[in-house]
Amino acid sequence: MSARKIIIDTDPGQDDAVAILLALASPEEIDVLGITAVAGNVPLSLTAKNALIVCELAGKPNVKVFAGCDRPMGRMLVTAEHVHGETGLNGPVLPEPQMALQEQHGVDFIIDTLRAHEAGTVTLCPLGPLTNIATAFEKAPDIIEKVQEIVLMGGAYFEVGNITPAAEFNIYVDPQAADIVFKSGVPLVVMPLDVTHKALVTKPRNEAFRALGTKAGVAVAEMTDFFERFDREKYGSDGAPLHDPCVTAYLINPELFSGRHINVEIETQSELTMGMTVADWWGVTDRAPNALFIGDLDADGFFSLLSERLARL
């Protein structure tokens, strides 16, 4: 089979960085057409810069990186320096990027790329707030039917919220954008906290990254050393959950994951539950299923894949 053509839409973020590294280390399965940055974990100026840093860390300086939207569609930007540090990539000391951002706006790159390819041949992989994707859909509705699939990290149901009692961060930052995407009719695969919290970087798993001895392996270990302090303190977990790499791992080996095809709606009205992903896991409504909502993964298989691919960089 030929490699799957994807656009990574991201707000790096340590776990975003690992997701990008996994994609760039897997050319047999994944053809990264470009990376679009969005404001989220940190402001756009940093997420765009961080995407460049990660491409250089992977030894892939020819990847095209675009800056997209710098604020949500209808709300003030909420960021997460309390989790990721002031740079978004706190932990390792990484050099300033030599690569330059592309001049084109990220939203226009998404539109032009989907228009240039045959329908059903490009997958969108959002790892952060859905602002760029929804803006592209609003600006160019003709591209919606051309998207093969959207595989995204966002939302939660049984794990409830990580930024509010009800909402996961990526959806909460731009619930209006999420609502547009979830109602678009594009096939969706959703990696919520319910599954990503099972992708825990335990101490032995992190030492396996460090033992690779490569720049990428050591950097990932240092990222998770920093990143895990938040989740250890908040959840009492055994390490940092690698949220976003679940997206990339699914593209490489979907058999690592299991879930249900259900209806998922986005709360956009209530400030109490703003950004909640209302997932009809038990099928108690008559609303049509619109997403494969992932609930479990083979964690050992996931980390074996990650270590094997990071060793390539």
Side-chain angles (χ1 to χ4, degrees):
M1 289 181 62
S2 58
R4 188 165 181 175
K5 297 180 186 300
I6 73 167
I7 296 172
I8 298 174
D9 187 67
T10 182
D11 62 336
Q14 290 91 347
D15 56 323
D16 304 70
V18 180
I20 295 167
L21 291 172
L22 179 56
L24 295 179
S26 306
E28 300 92 347
E29 295 92 359
I30 296 174
D31 178 8
V32 180
L33 302 177
I35 297 174
T36 52
V38 67
N41 284 323
V42 287
L44 180 68
S45 60
L46 289 173
T47 62
K49 175 183 174 182
N50 289 348
L52 298 173
I53 290 171
V54 174
C55 289
E56 292 188 358
L57 177 62
K60 308 287 184 182
N62 295 322
V63 177
K64 293 181 178 179
V65 180
F66 303 79
C69 297
D70 64 356
R71 62 178 66 89
M73 297 182 86
R75 289 163 61 81
M76 296 290 289
L77 177 64
V78 176
T79 54
E81 288 89 351
H82 63 289
V83 180
H84 298 278
E86 67 277 5
T87 70
L89 286 182
N90 280 36
V93 177
L94 297 169
E96 290 291 305
Q98 301 303 303
M99 292 168 61
L101 289 168
Q102 302 294 307
E103 292 187 6
Q104 187 179 29
H105 193 281
V107 169
D108 294 325
F109 169 73
I110 293 169
I111 293 169
D112 289 351
T113 302
L114 286 165
R115 284 176 172 169
H117 286 78
E118 286 185 36
T121 62
V122 176
T123 295
L124 302 179
C125 299
L127 310 177
L130 290 161
T131 315
N132 285 342
I133 308 299
T135 303
F137 285 3
E138 292 272 275
K139 186 175 180 179
D142 59 286
I143 68 173
I144 295 173
E145 63 182 17
K146 300 199 73 172
V147 180
Q148 178 180 356
E149 192 171 47
I150 295 174
V151 184
L152 67 94
M153 190 276 132
Y157 184 59
F158 295 101
E159 286 285 305
V160 295
N162 64 352
I163 187 70
T164 74
E168 179 276 330
F169 177 81
N170 286 345
I171 306 297
Y172 178 77
V173 170
D174 199 341
Q176 286 73 27
D179 189 48
I180 289 168
V181 170
F182 276 73
K183 288 178 176 173
S184 68
V186 175
L188 298 175
V189 179
V190 180
M191 297 289 165
L193 298 180
D194 304 282
V195 67
T196 66
H197 277 178
K198 296 173 183 175
L200 284 179
V201 187
T202 59
K203 188 168 175 128
R205 288 168 177 165
N206 209 34
E207 289 310 312
F209 295 151
R210 205 182 318 272
L212 295 174
T214 62
K215 284 184 181 178
V218 172
V220 167
E222 292 175 343
M223 286 180 201
T224 53
D225 282 341
F226 178 87
F227 188 46
E228 73 174 4
R229 90 214 180 285
F230 177 80
D231 289 273
R232 280 184 180 275
E233 183 177 329
K234 181 174 182 178
Y235 298 109
S237 60
D238 290 332
L242 284 182
H243 306 286
D244 295 330
C246 288
V247 169
T248 318
Y250 178 86
L251 297 176
I252 297 168
N253 185 2
E255 293 182 358
L256 292 171
F257 298 86
S258 61
R260 293 186 187 180
H261 195 228
I262 62 171
N263 179 269
V264 183
E265 304 278 338
I266 310 297
E267 176 57 61
T268 61
Q269 300 299 317
S270 165
E271 278 301 326
L272 183 66
T273 55
M274 180 67 70
M276 182 178 184
T277 43
V278 182
D280 187 10
W281 185 260
W282 302 113
V284 297
T285 74
D286 58 1
R287 295 194 289 266
N290 63 341
L292 177 59
F293 201 77
I294 302 298
D296 205 358
L297 86 163
D298 172 359
D300 288 338
F302 171 84
F303 281 98
S304 293
L305 173 67
L306 192 49
S307 292
E308 184 249 310
R309 296 303 166 92
L310 288 177
R312 299 176 172 185
L313 299 175

